Amino acid sequence: MKAEDVRAKSADELKEELLKLRKEAFNLRFQQASGQLENTARAKAVRRDIARIKTVLRERDVAPAAS
């Protein structure tokens, strides 16, 4: 997911996506612990997507207060 894709979504869509990604990260951690994780790069991609979404949500919260 690219940053411009994240910025194009509404806050509700971002929160839903964040919830979905957190569940996926949880499942990936269990797969890794049990030795079933095949695509280890997916865990890194999910963490970065979560960070992108949280960053955009935070920017939107802070922007009105700064003005």
Side-chain angles (χ1 to χ4, degrees):
M1 182 180 311
K2 295 187 176 184
E4 62 188 32
D5 298 335
V6 174
R7 292 183 196 285
K9 293 185 178 185
S10 70
D12 290 335
E13 290 173 329
L14 289 176
K15 288 177 184 178
E16 288 177 21
E17 185 71 23
L18 183 61
L19 183 62
K20 185 185 84 164
L21 287 170
R22 284 184 172 165
K23 287 180 182 179
E24 184 177 354
F26 179 79
N27 290 330
L28 288 171
R29 282 196 306 272
F30 270 93
Q31 288 177 10
Q32 185 176 14
S34 64
Q36 297 175 349
L37 184 62
E38 293 179 10
N39 185 4
T40 56
R42 182 65 186 147
K44 182 177 180 179
V46 169
R47 281 197 318 269
R48 288 185 175 195
D49 287 344
I50 289 171
R52 279 188 194 100
I53 290 173
K54 289 176 76 173
T55 299
V56 170
L57 287 172
R58 178 72 178 140
E59 285 174 351
R60 290 182 185 176
D61 285 344
V62 171
S67 298

Coordinates of all heavy atoms in Angstrom, one line a residue:
M1 N 0.8 -1.2 0.0 CA 0.0 0.0 0.0 C 0.9 1.2 0.0 O 1.8 1.4 0.8 CB -0.9 0.0 1.2 CG -1.8 1.1 1.3 SD -2.9 1.1 2.8 CE -3.5 -0.6 2.8
K2 N 0.6 2.2 -0.9 CA 1.4 3.4 -1.0 C 0.8 4.5 -0.1 O -0.4 4.5 0.2 CB 1.5 3.8 -2.4 CG 2.2 2.9 -3.3 CD 2.4 3.4 -4.7 CE 3.2 2.4 -5.5 NZ 3.5 3.0 -6.8
A3 N 1.6 5.4 0.2 CA 1.1 6.5 1.1 C 0.0 7.3 0.4 O -0.9 7.8 1.1 CB 2.3 7.5 1.4
E4 N 0.1 7.5 -0.9 CA -1.0 8.3 -1.6 C -2.3 7.5 -1.6 O -3.4 8.1 -1.5 CB -0.5 8.6 -3.1 CG -0.3 7.4 -3.9 CD 0.3 7.7 -5.3 OE1 1.1 8.6 -5.4 OE2 0.0 6.9 -6.2
D5 N -2.2 6.2 -1.6 CA -3.5 5.4 -1.5 C -4.1 5.6 -0.1 O -5.3 5.6 0.1 CB -3.2 3.9 -1.7 CG -2.7 3.6 -3.1 OD1 -3.0 4.4 -4.0 OD2 -2.0 2.6 -3.3
V6 N -3.2 5.6 0.9 CA -3.7 5.8 2.3 C -4.3 7.2 2.5 O -5.4 7.3 3.1 CB -2.5 5.6 3.3 CG1 -3.0 5.9 4.7 CG2 -2.0 4.2 3.2
R7 N -3.7 8.2 1.9 CA -4.2 9.6 2.1 C -5.5 9.8 1.3 O -6.3 10.6 1.7 CB -3.2 10.6 1.6 CG -2.0 10.6 2.4 CD -1.0 11.7 1.9 NE 0.3 11.5 2.5 CZ 0.6 11.8 3.8 NH1 -0.3 12.3 4.6 NH2 1.9 11.6 4.2
A8 N -5.8 8.9 0.3 CA -7.1 9.1 -0.4 C -8.3 8.5 0.3 O -9.4 8.8 -0.1 CB -6.9 8.4 -1.8
K9 N -8.0 7.7 1.3 CA -9.1 7.0 2.0 C -9.6 7.9 3.2 O -8.9 8.8 3.7 CB -8.7 5.7 2.6 CG -8.4 4.7 1.5 CD -8.0 3.4 2.1 CE -7.8 2.3 1.0 NZ -7.5 1.0 1.5
S10 N -10.9 7.7 3.6 CA -11.5 8.4 4.7 C -11.0 7.8 6.0 O -10.4 6.7 6.0 CB -13.0 8.3 4.6 OG -13.4 7.0 4.9
A11 N -11.2 8.5 7.1 CA -10.8 8.1 8.4 C -11.4 6.8 8.8 O -10.8 5.9 9.3 CB -11.1 9.1 9.4
D12 N -12.7 6.6 8.4 CA -13.4 5.3 8.7 C -12.8 4.1 8.0 O -12.6 3.1 8.5 CB -14.9 5.4 8.4 CG -15.6 6.3 9.4 OD1 -15.1 6.5 10.5 OD2 -16.7 6.9 9.0
E13 N -12.5 4.4 6.7 CA -11.9 3.3 5.9 C -10.5 3.0 6.4 O -10.1 1.8 6.5 CB -11.7 3.8 4.4 CG -13.0 3.9 3.7 CD -12.9 4.5 2.3 OE1 -12.0 5.3 2.1 OE2 -13.7 4.1 1.4
L14 N -9.8 4.0 6.9 CA -8.4 3.7 7.4 C -8.5 2.9 8.7 O -7.7 2.1 9.0 CB -7.7 5.1 7.7 CG -7.2 5.8 6.4 CD1 -6.6 7.1 6.8 CD2 -6.3 5.0 5.6
K15 N -9.5 3.3 9.5 CA -9.6 2.5 10.8 C -10.0 1.1 10.6 O -9.5 0.2 11.3 CB -10.6 3.2 11.7 CG -10.1 4.5 12.3 CD -11.2 5.2 13.1 CE -10.6 6.6 13.5 NZ -11.6 7.4 14.3
E16 N -10.8 0.8 9.6 CA -11.2 -0.6 9.2 C -9.9 -1.3 8.7 O -9.7 -2.5 9.0 CB -12.3 -0.6 8.1 CG -13.6 -0.2 8.7 CD -14.7 -0.2 7.6 OE1 -14.5 -0.8 6.5 OE2 -15.7 0.5 7.7
E17 N -9.2 -0.6 7.8 CA -8.0 -1.2 7.3 C -6.9 -1.5 8.4 O -6.3 -2.5 8.4 CB -7.4 -0.3 6.2 CG -6.2 -0.9 5.5 CD -6.5 -2.0 4.5 OE1 -7.7 -2.1 4.1 OE2 -5.6 -2.8 4.2
L18 N -6.8 -0.6 9.3 CA -5.9 -0.8 10.4 C -6.3 -2.0 11.3 O -5.4 -2.8 11.6 CB -5.9 0.5 11.3 CG -4.9 0.5 12.5 CD1 -3.5 0.4 12.0 CD2 -5.1 1.8 13.3
L19 N -7.6 -2.2 11.5 CA -8.0 -3.3 12.3 C -7.7 -4.6 11.5 O -7.2 -5.6 12.1 CB -9.5 -3.2 12.5 CG -10.2 -4.3 13.3 CD1 -9.6 -4.3 14.7 CD2 -11.7 -4.1 13.4
K20 N -7.9 -4.6 10.2 CA -7.7 -5.8 9.4 C -6.2 -6.1 9.4 O -5.8 -7.3 9.6 CB -8.1 -5.6 8.0 CG -8.0 -6.8 7.0 CD -8.4 -6.4 5.6 CE -7.2 -5.8 5.0 NZ -7.1 -5.8 3.6
L21 N -5.3 -5.1 9.3 CA -3.9 -5.3 9.3 C -3.4 -5.8 10.6 O -2.5 -6.7 10.7 CB -3.2 -4.1 8.9 CG -3.3 -3.7 7.4 CD1 -2.7 -2.3 7.1 CD2 -2.5 -4.7 6.5
R22 N -3.9 -5.3 11.7 CA -3.5 -5.8 13.0 C -3.9 -7.2 13.2 O -3.1 -8.0 13.8 CB -4.2 -4.9 14.1 CG -3.5 -3.6 14.3 CD -4.1 -2.8 15.4 NE -3.3 -1.6 15.6 CZ -3.8 -0.5 16.3 NH1 -4.9 -0.6 16.9 NH2 -3.0 0.5 16.5
K23 N -5.1 -7.7 12.7 CA -5.4 -9.1 12.8 C -4.5 -9.9 12.0 O -4.1 -11.0 12.4 CB -6.9 -9.3 12.3 CG -7.9 -8.8 13.3 CD -9.3 -9.0 12.8 CE -10.3 -8.4 13.7 NZ -11.7 -8.6 13.2
E24 N -4.1 -9.4 10.8 CA -3.2 -10.2 10.0 C -1.8 -10.3 10.7 O -1.2 -11.3 10.6 CB -3.0 -9.5 8.6 CG -2.2 -10.3 7.7 CD -2.1 -9.7 6.3 OE1 -2.8 -8.7 6.0 OE2 -1.3 -10.2 5.5
A25 N -1.3 -9.2 11.3 CA -0.1 -9.2 12.0 C -0.1 -10.2 13.1 O 0.9 -10.9 13.3 CB 0.3 -7.8 12.5
F26 N -1.2 -10.3 13.8 CA -1.4 -11.2 14.9 C -1.2 -12.7 14.4 O -0.5 -13.5 15.0 CB -2.7 -11.0 15.6 CG -3.1 -11.9 16.7 CD1 -2.5 -11.7 17.9 CD2 -3.9 -13.0 16.5 CE1 -2.8 -12.6 19.0 CE2 -4.2 -13.8 17.5 CZ -3.7 -13.6 18.8
N27 N -1.9 -12.9 13.3 CA -1.9 -14.3 12.7 C -0.5 -14.6 12.2 O 0.0 -15.8 12.3 CB -2.9 -14.4 11.6 CG -4.3 -14.4 12.1 OD1 -4.6 -14.9 13.2 ND2 -5.3 -13.9 11.3
L28 N 0.2 -13.6 11.6 CA 1.5 -13.9 11.1 C 2.5 -14.2 12.3 O 3.4 -15.0 12.1 CB 2.0 -12.7 10.3 CG 1.4 -12.4 9.0 CD1 1.8 -11.1 8.4 CD2 1.7 -13.6 8.0
R29 N 2.3 -13.5 13.4 CA 3.2 -13.8 14.6 C 3.0 -15.3 15.0 O 4.0 -16.0 15.4 CB 2.9 -12.9 15.7 CG 3.5 -11.5 15.5 CD 3.5 -10.7 16.8 NE 2.3 -10.6 17.5 CZ 1.4 -9.6 17.2 NH1 1.6 -8.7 16.3 NH2 0.2 -9.6 17.9
F30 N 1.7 -15.7 15.0 CA 1.5 -17.1 15.4 C 2.1 -18.1 14.4 O 2.6 -19.1 14.8 CB 0.0 -17.4 15.6 CG -0.5 -17.1 17.0 CD1 -1.0 -15.9 17.3 CD2 -0.4 -18.1 17.9 CE1 -1.4 -15.6 18.6 CE2 -0.8 -17.8 19.2 CZ -1.4 -16.6 19.6
Q31 N 2.0 -17.8 13.1 CA 2.5 -18.7 12.1 C 4.0 -18.7 12.3 O 4.6 -19.8 12.1 CB 2.2 -18.2 10.7 CG 0.7 -18.4 10.4 CD 0.4 -17.8 9.0 OE1 1.3 -17.4 8.2 NE2 -0.9 -17.8 8.7
Q32 N 4.7 -17.6 12.5 CA 6.1 -17.6 12.7 C 6.5 -18.4 13.9 O 7.5 -19.2 13.9 CB 6.6 -16.2 12.8 CG 8.1 -16.1 12.9 CD 8.6 -14.6 12.9 OE1 7.8 -13.7 13.1 NE2 9.9 -14.4 12.6
A33 N 5.8 -18.3 15.0 CA 6.2 -19.0 16.2 C 6.0 -20.5 16.1 O 6.8 -21.3 16.6 CB 5.3 -18.5 17.4
S34 N 5.1 -20.9 15.2 CA 4.8 -22.4 15.0 C 5.6 -22.9 13.8 O 5.5 -24.1 13.5 CB 3.4 -22.6 14.9 OG 2.9 -22.0 13.7
G35 N 6.4 -22.0 13.2 CA 7.2 -22.5 12.1 C 6.5 -22.7 10.8 O 7.0 -23.3 9.8
Q36 N 5.3 -22.1 10.6 CA 4.5 -22.3 9.4 C 4.5 -21.1 8.5 O 4.0 -21.1 7.4 CB 3.0 -22.5 9.8 CG 2.8 -23.8 10.6 CD 1.3 -23.9 11.1 OE1 0.6 -23.0 11.0 NE2 1.0 -25.1 11.6
L37 N 5.2 -20.0 8.9 CA 5.3 -18.8 8.1 C 6.2 -19.0 6.9 O 7.4 -19.3 7.1 CB 5.7 -17.6 8.9 CG 5.7 -16.3 8.2 CD1 4.3 -15.9 7.8 CD2 6.3 -15.2 9.2
E38 N 5.7 -18.9 5.7 CA 6.5 -19.1 4.5 C 7.0 -17.7 3.9 O 8.1 -17.6 3.5 CB 5.7 -19.8 3.4 CG 5.3 -21.2 3.8 CD 4.5 -22.0 2.8 OE1 4.3 -21.4 1.7 OE2 4.0 -23.1 3.1
N39 N 6.1 -16.7 3.9 CA 6.5 -15.4 3.4 C 6.8 -14.5 4.5 O 6.0 -13.8 5.0 CB 5.3 -14.9 2.5 CG 5.7 -13.6 1.8 OD1 6.8 -13.2 1.9 ND2 4.7 -13.0 1.1
T40 N 8.1 -14.5 4.9 CA 8.5 -13.7 6.0 C 8.5 -12.2 5.7 O 8.3 -11.4 6.6 CB 9.9 -14.1 6.5 OG1 10.8 -14.0 5.4 CG2 9.9 -15.5 7.0
A41 N 8.6 -11.8 4.4 CA 8.6 -10.4 4.1 C 7.2 -9.8 4.3 O 7.0 -8.6 4.4 CB 9.0 -10.3 2.6
R42 N 6.1 -10.6 4.3 CA 4.8 -10.1 4.5 C 4.6 -9.5 5.9 O 4.0 -8.5 6.0 CB 3.8 -11.2 4.3 CG 2.3 -10.8 4.5 CD 1.9 -9.8 3.4 NE 0.6 -9.3 3.7 CZ 0.2 -8.1 3.4 NH1 0.9 -7.3 2.7 NH2 -1.1 -7.7 3.7
A43 N 5.3 -10.0 6.9 CA 5.2 -9.5 8.2 C 5.8 -8.0 8.2 O 5.2 -7.1 8.9 CB 6.0 -10.3 9.2
K44 N 6.9 -7.8 7.6 CA 7.5 -6.5 7.5 C 6.6 -5.5 6.7 O 6.4 -4.4 7.2 CB 8.8 -6.6 6.8 CG 9.6 -5.3 6.7 CD 10.9 -5.5 6.0 CE 11.7 -4.2 5.9 NZ 13.0 -4.4 5.3
A45 N 6.0 -6.0 5.6 CA 5.1 -5.1 4.9 C 3.8 -4.7 5.7 O 3.4 -3.6 5.6 CB 4.7 -5.9 3.6
V46 N 3.3 -5.7 6.4 CA 2.1 -5.4 7.3 C 2.5 -4.3 8.3 O 1.7 -3.4 8.6 CB 1.6 -6.7 7.9 CG1 0.5 -6.4 9.0 CG2 1.0 -7.6 6.8
R47 N 3.6 -4.5 9.0 CA 4.1 -3.5 10.0 C 4.2 -2.1 9.4 O 3.8 -1.1 10.0 CB 5.4 -3.9 10.6 CG 5.3 -5.0 11.7 CD 6.5 -5.1 12.5 NE 7.8 -5.0 11.8 CZ 8.5 -6.0 11.3 NH1 8.0 -7.2 11.4 NH2 9.6 -5.8 10.7
R48 N 4.8 -2.1 8.2 CA 4.9 -0.8 7.6 C 3.6 -0.1 7.1 O 3.4 1.1 7.2 CB 5.9 -0.9 6.4 CG 7.3 -1.1 6.8 CD 8.2 -1.1 5.7 NE 9.6 -1.2 6.2 CZ 10.7 -1.0 5.5 NH1 10.6 -0.6 4.2 NH2 11.9 -1.1 6.0
D49 N 2.7 -1.0 6.7 CA 1.3 -0.5 6.3 C 0.6 0.1 7.5 O -0.1 1.1 7.5 CB 0.5 -1.6 5.6 CG 1.0 -1.9 4.2 OD1 1.7 -1.1 3.6 OD2 0.6 -2.9 3.7
I50 N 0.8 -0.6 8.6 CA 0.1 -0.2 9.9 C 0.7 1.2 10.3 O 0.0 2.1 10.6 CB 0.4 -1.2 11.0 CG1 -0.5 -2.4 10.8 CG2 0.0 -0.6 12.4 CD1 -0.2 -3.6 11.7
A51 N 2.0 1.3 10.1 CA 2.7 2.6 10.5 C 2.2 3.7 9.6 O 2.0 4.9 10.0 CB 4.2 2.5 10.4
R52 N 2.1 3.4 8.3 CA 1.6 4.5 7.3 C 0.2 4.9 7.7 O -0.1 6.1 7.7 CB 1.6 3.9 5.9 CG 2.9 3.9 5.2 CD 2.7 3.5 3.7 NE 4.0 3.2 3.2 CZ 4.5 2.0 3.0 NH1 3.8 0.9 3.3 NH2 5.7 1.8 2.5
I53 N -0.7 4.0 8.0 CA -2.0 4.4 8.4 C -2.1 5.2 9.6 O -2.7 6.2 9.7 CB -2.9 3.1 8.5 CG1 -3.1 2.5 7.1 CG2 -4.3 3.4 9.1 CD1 -3.8 1.2 7.1
K54 N -1.3 4.8 10.6 CA -1.3 5.5 11.9 C -0.7 6.9 11.7 O -1.2 7.9 12.3 CB -0.5 4.7 12.9 CG -1.2 3.5 13.4 CD -0.4 2.6 14.4 CE -0.4 3.3 15.7 NZ 0.3 2.4 16.8
T55 N 0.3 7.0 10.9 CA 0.9 8.3 10.6 C -0.1 9.3 10.0 O -0.3 10.4 10.4 CB 2.1 8.2 9.7 OG1 3.1 7.4 10.3 CG2 2.7 9.5 9.3
V56 N -0.9 8.8 9.0 CA -1.8 9.7 8.3 C -3.0 10.0 9.2 O -3.4 11.2 9.3 CB -2.4 8.9 7.0 CG1 -3.6 9.7 6.4 CG2 -1.3 8.8 6.0
L57 N -3.4 9.1 10.0 CA -4.5 9.4 11.0 C -4.0 10.5 12.0 O -4.8 11.4 12.4 CB -4.9 8.1 11.7 CG -5.8 7.2 10.9 CD1 -6.0 5.9 11.7 CD2 -7.1 7.8 10.5
R58 N -2.8 10.4 12.4 CA -2.2 11.3 13.4 C -2.1 12.7 12.7 O -2.4 13.7 13.4 CB -0.9 10.8 13.9 CG -0.2 11.8 14.9 CD -0.9 11.8 16.2 NE -0.1 12.7 17.1 CZ -0.7 13.5 17.9 NH1 -2.0 13.6 18.0 NH2 0.0 14.3 18.7
E59 N -1.6 12.7 11.5 CA -1.5 14.0 10.8 C -2.8 14.7 10.7 O -2.9 15.9 10.8 CB -0.9 13.8 9.4 CG 0.5 13.4 9.3 CD 1.0 13.1 7.9 OE1 0.1 12.9 7.0 OE2 2.2 13.0 7.7
R60 N -3.9 13.9 10.4 CA -5.2 14.5 10.3 C -5.7 15.0 11.6 O -6.5 16.0 11.7 CB -6.2 13.5 9.7 CG -5.9 13.2 8.3 CD -6.9 12.2 7.7 NE -6.6 11.8 6.4 CZ -7.2 10.9 5.7 NH1 -8.3 10.3 6.2 NH2 -6.8 10.6 4.4
D61 N -5.4 14.4 12.7 CA -5.8 14.8 14.1 C -5.1 16.1 14.4 O -5.6 17.0 15.0 CB -5.5 13.8 15.1 CG -6.4 12.6 15.1 OD1 -7.5 12.8 14.5 OD2 -6.1 11.6 15.7
V62 N -3.8 16.2 14.1 CA -3.0 17.4 14.5 C -3.2 18.6 13.6 O -3.1 19.7 14.1 CB -1.5 17.0 14.5 CG1 -0.6 18.2 14.7 CG2 -1.2 15.9 15.5
A63 N -3.5 18.4 12.3 CA -3.6 19.5 11.4 C -4.6 20.6 11.8 O -4.3 21.8 11.8 CB -4.0 18.9 10.0
P64 N -5.9 20.2 12.2 CA -6.8 21.3 12.6 C -6.3 22.0 13.8 O -6.6 23.2 14.0 CB -8.1 20.5 12.9 CG -8.0 19.2 12.2 CD -6.5 18.9 12.2
A65 N -5.7 21.4 14.7 CA -5.2 22.1 16.0 C -4.0 23.0 15.7 O -3.9 24.0 16.4 CB -4.7 21.0 17.0
A66 N -3.3 22.7 14.6 CA -2.1 23.6 14.3 C -2.6 24.9 13.6 O -1.9 25.9 13.7 CB -1.2 22.9 13.4
S67 N -3.7 24.9 13.0 CA -4.2 26.1 12.3 C -4.8 27.1 13.2 O -5.2 27.0 14.2 CB -5.3 25.7 11.2 OG -4.7 24.8 10.3

